[in-house]
Amino acid sequence: MDLASQFILLQAFATWFVFGLISFVQIVHYPLLKNVGTDEFGEYERKHVARTTLVVGGPMIIELVTAVAALFLWPPSLPQWLVYVGILLLVVIWISSFCLQVPQHYKLKDGFQDQAWKILVYSNWIRTFAWGARSLLLAWAIVCM
């Protein structure tokens, strides 16, 4: 297996991992945040953010590095537009994360706020769909390799 194929596989595994995690968070975890006790919520949120960062940080960095590397290592047998669409989806994910979700988590660290929670839950669909689309694109690339 050549280097380009190895990078595509590594990118796919990182993307699939994060897509699985964000799907769980979106469908199960975020909606249940509303049910955490008011007195405990701030501490719960701080621990949630710290632990989630430990789990998701590495795969997100791997995904980003391998996506950028794909600009230079993409196999000529695969359509080049896949690389650009994949990177565009990553840009959407990272912008959404830092402009929408992170600020809501920051607000929630001080205690439950219904509006911040609603923005978090609804805006997180952006990342969920973007990672889902990346997952499909990379699956297609692997099948076509």
Side-chain angles (χ1 to χ4, degrees):
M1 182 179 300
D2 65 353
L3 185 61
S5 299
Q6 291 174 8
F7 267 79
I8 291 171
L9 285 174
L10 183 59
Q11 183 180 171
F13 289 135
T15 298
W16 295 337
F17 174 83
V18 179
F19 175 58
L21 181 62
I22 201 71
S23 296
F24 172 81
V25 166
Q26 180 62 31
I27 295 166
V28 177
H29 187 66
Y30 280 175
L32 291 175
L33 286 176
K34 191 171 188 165
N35 300 102
V36 176
T38 307
D39 294 338
E40 304 89 11
F41 190 86
E43 181 181 351
Y44 177 87
E45 175 66 13
R46 285 187 291 280
K47 288 180 179 178
H48 158 77
V49 169
R51 291 178 182 186
T52 300
T53 301
L54 286 175
V55 172
V56 77
M60 283 182 72
I61 297 298
I62 291 169
E63 181 185 38
L64 181 62
V65 168
T66 55
V68 171
L71 288 168
F72 307 99
L73 297 171
W74 197 253
S77 60
L78 294 175
Q80 189 72 25
W81 64 265
L82 286 172
V83 176
Y84 299 115
V85 171
I87 288 176
L88 177 64
L89 288 166
L90 271 182
V91 168
V92 167
I93 289 164
W94 283 78
I95 288 174
S96 177
S97 295
F98 288 101
C99 293
L100 295 172
Q101 288 79 44
V102 168
Q104 303 320 309
H105 281 294
Y106 185 77
K107 290 176 186 176
L108 291 168
K109 285 181 181 182
D110 293 330
F112 185 81
Q113 297 175 36
D114 193 60
Q115 186 64 23
W117 170 76
K118 285 178 182 174
I119 293 170
L120 178 66
V121 171
Y122 295 123
S123 69
N124 195 57
W125 281 111
I126 296 167
R127 296 189 302 181
T128 305
F129 286 124
W131 264 311
R134 281 187 49 74
S135 294
L136 292 173
L137 285 175
L138 287 162
W140 184 39
I142 289 168
V143 167
C144 295
M145 281 195 308

